[in-house]
Amino acid sequence: MKLIFLGPPGAGKGTLAGLVSRGHGIPQISTGDMFREAIKNETALGKKVKEILGRGDLVPDELTVDLVKERLSQADAAKGYILDGFPRTIPQAEELQKFQDLDAVINFAIDDDLVVKRLSGREICKNCGAIYHVTNMPSKTKGVCDKCGGPLYTRPDDSLESITNRLDVYRRQTEPLIDFYRRKELLRDIDSSKSPEDTHRQIEKALASYR
Ligand code: AMP
């Protein structure tokens, strides 16, 4: 299954991509994670994108598409994958369709006020990337990952200023993809305002016809 998870920041794409990836044995490919890894390792790419991510702006299309092309050429992506956070612009989607046939685009719908609440309490494991929320989904021990014992941190772009910009960027540059994929009859709408379990059920129902 070749899937895209589309939606505003904080809609739950990363959490759900992790669950669906494990359940179906297909890799979760997150461009955001790939950029953060490059920043952590201080690679040439990392140096180029560090400030862009901090502000919550988008990395230029060409850089992002090249990264995804390279990742999708790896063996583990041959049978399927979940693209989490890509494409984010119409030109990215147009490039993707030149070399990939998709099965479905899961569209995560959620209101802005809930996004702000979710992102401003989000914590992520530095070691394994597991996602928590200080009030909605806290780790058992404060600051420590339940899964691997790694330390939890807050993403630098989860500041209120950056969240506001990311939402604005989403509306202007990414939301037009909803119509783009609806016209191709690939879009499956999901209400992601409730629990991860509820969202997961909706996604599995939407994917049932692809198995
Ligand atoms: P995410 O982890 O998906 O929220 O992505 C974090 C940040 O990485 C975004 O705010 C952008 O700066 C950058 N980024 C991730 N995916 C893309 C993409 N497809 N196109 C451009 N920039 C991206």
Side-chain angles (χ1 to χ4, degrees), residues 39-56:
I39 293 171
K40 194 172 85 185
N41 296 330
E42 298 180 356
T43 64
L45 173 69
K47 286 181 189 144
K48 261 191 213 156
V49 304
K50 186 172 179 179
E51 282 184 18
I52 301 176
L53 263 81
R55 284 196 302 271

Side-chain angles (χ1 to χ4, degrees), residues 30-33 35-36 52-53 56-59 64 84-88 92 155 157 166:
S30 157
T31 37
D33 283 350
F35 289 133
R36 279 185 289 278
I52 301 176
L53 263 81
D57 287 335
L58 292 186
V59 174
T64 312
D84 160 18
F86 180 92
R88 261 175 152 100
Q92 289 180 11
R155 271 172 50 170
D157 59 344
R166 283 156 67 205

